[in-house]
């Protein structure tokens, strides 16, 4: 994410440029599950053995609590239960654990925790945290300061446009530099409070969606540019954010500019 801090902010210009990634190789995760494997039914069965019947999440930690009949449940849900959610047997005072489930957990791929939002990845526990951190379906906060919702990243653009949480802008391609495009966020601002409540700007470039966001940091106004995607996608682009002011009688005067990679 590219960032720029300034005391002024009447007009913001953002330029995006594509970085040559021809020499960069991004390998696929070797732990990704292939749905065409002959034993996919066995894998689904093993995954069901370590699925919590209450929250339907994959149990990832040991020990694995169970009832006298062997029905497992995750630690968070077990703390709120007095009886088994499957057979209704009352849990004994001595905690029972399933060694069978514990032996399965670290040997099979587990579904991403954002499966309900559309992610189809299943990975071994050693690879799962890194994937979920950058998952395209992970939950993120809406960038509009007046909206408190958390939205799946894959549906964030639609949410912002449908609910008026961001304004759609078109890029102006620079003729002298075909690989560089410009978007201008205009509008006169009388005071800082007025600037803060201007909604984020969203635009498309090279098939990717980008955001220009404003927020207050102490007595400064911070502008940031981010991509609606993964860090790997963001590192393919350079961003230049320029802030203009109308304090000079002759017209717009450049106050500050930031140029760097978009992370």
């Amino acid at each position: 994410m590219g960032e720029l801090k300034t005391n002024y902010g009447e007009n913001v210009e953002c330029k995006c440029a594509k970085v040559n990634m021809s020499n960069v190789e991004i390998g696929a995760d070797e732990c990704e599950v292939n749905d065409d494997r002959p034993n996919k039914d066995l894998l689904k069965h093993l995954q069901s053995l370590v699925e919590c019947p209450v929250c339907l999440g994959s149990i990832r930690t040991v020990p694995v609590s169970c009832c006298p009949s062997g029905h497992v449940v995750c630690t968070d849900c077990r703390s709120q239960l007095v009886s088994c959610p499957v057979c209704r047997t009352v849990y004994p005072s001595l905690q029972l654990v399933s060694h069978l489930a514990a032996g399965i957990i670290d040997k099979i791929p587990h579904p991403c925790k954002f499966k309900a939002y559309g992610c189809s990845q299943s990975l071994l526990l050693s690879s799962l945290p890194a994937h979920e951190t950058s998952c395209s379906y992970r939950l993120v906060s809406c960038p509009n300061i007046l909206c408190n919702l958390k939205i799946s990243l894959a549906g964030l653009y639609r949410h912002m446009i449908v609910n008026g949480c961001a304004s759609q802008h078109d890029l102006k391609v620079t003729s002298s530099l075909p690989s560089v495009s410009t978007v201008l966020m205009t509008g006169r601002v009388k005071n800082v409070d007025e600037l803060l409540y201007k909604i984020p700007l969203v635009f498309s470039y090279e098939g990717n969606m980008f955001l220009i966001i404003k927020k207050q940091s102490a007595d400064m106004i911070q502008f940031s540019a981010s991509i609606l995607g993964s860090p790997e996608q963001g590192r393919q682009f350079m961003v230049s954010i320029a802030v203009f002011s109308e304090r000079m009688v002759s017209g717009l005067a450049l106050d500050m500019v930031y140029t760097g990679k978009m992370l």
Side-chain angles (χ1 to χ4, degrees), residues 26 44 69 71 73 86 119 128 145 198-199 208 243-244:
I26 301 177
K44 288 182 179 180
S69 298
H71 300 128
V73 68
V86 178
C119 184
L128 206 52
I145 62 174
K198 283 187 173 294
I199 62 177
N208 297 279
V243 178
F244 297 85

Side-chain angles (χ1 to χ4, degrees), residues 57-133:
S58 177
I59 301 175
R60 304 180 181 183
T61 58
V62 293
V64 181
S65 299
C66 68
C67 72
S69 298
H71 300 128
V72 299
V73 68
C74 73
T75 302
D76 290 340
C77 292
R78 173 63 182 87
S79 63
Q80 305 175 48
L81 298 171
V82 295
S83 61
C84 175
V86 178
C87 64
R88 302 303 177 185
T89 300
V90 177
Y91 286 119
S93 55
L94 181 65
Q95 182 180 2
L96 302 179
V97 297
S98 172
H99 295 291
L100 173 63
I104 294 175
I105 285 178
D106 62 350
K107 294 179 177 61
I108 64 170
H110 293 256
C112 172
K113 66 180 179 181
F114 302 112
K115 177 181 179 181
Y117 300 96
C119 184
S120 60
Q121 293 281 351
S122 289
L123 306 170
L124 295 178
L125 288 181
S126 57
S127 302
L128 206 52
H131 162 76
E132 291 177 342
T133 299

